[in-house]
Amino acid sequence: MAKVPSALVAASGLVGGYGVARWSGRRQLGGVVLAVAGAAAAQQWRERAGGKAAGALGTAYVAAFAGSHPLARKVGAWPAVFGAAGAVALASWAVADRQA
């Protein structure tokens, strides 16, 4: 079975978490999507690049989520979310997926 790139999992968690929260009106539900995708990506990062890299990418994932909030006030919600997701996807690809 083909492996899903961790970059796609992480980006989908950020975009999907926001989308679910926005369209359901329940932020907690979006948080569940964000957390599940983040945990799945972290497991892949650990397997592919080791614990230190997984910790750094996990920190980047949380920082992108947090950073998208103030950025949304300047550029809008969706552009902020897509920007954060793109940044995390790029970092994930560079550190964990490129070697695969």
Side-chain angles (χ1 to χ4, degrees):
M1 189 163 132
K3 291 186 178 183
V4 176
S6 63
L8 181 61
V9 175
S12 296
L14 290 164
V15 173
Y18 175 69
V20 167
R22 180 167 180 142
W23 289 313
S24 71
R26 298 189 58 198
R27 293 176 66 166
Q28 300 87 347
L29 194 55
V32 169
V33 172
L34 180 79
V36 168
Q43 181 178 2
Q44 289 181 315
W45 295 329
R46 195 174 315 105
E47 290 170 358
R48 295 177 186 174
K52 286 184 181 182
L57 289 169
T59 300
Y61 185 78
V62 172
F65 167 70
S68 69
H69 289 81
L71 182 60
R73 291 187 207 112
K74 296 178 188 239
V75 300
W78 280 111
V81 170
F82 285 129
V88 168
L90 182 61
S92 181
W93 175 81
V95 174
D97 294 335
R98 183 171 45 169
Q99 296 108 4

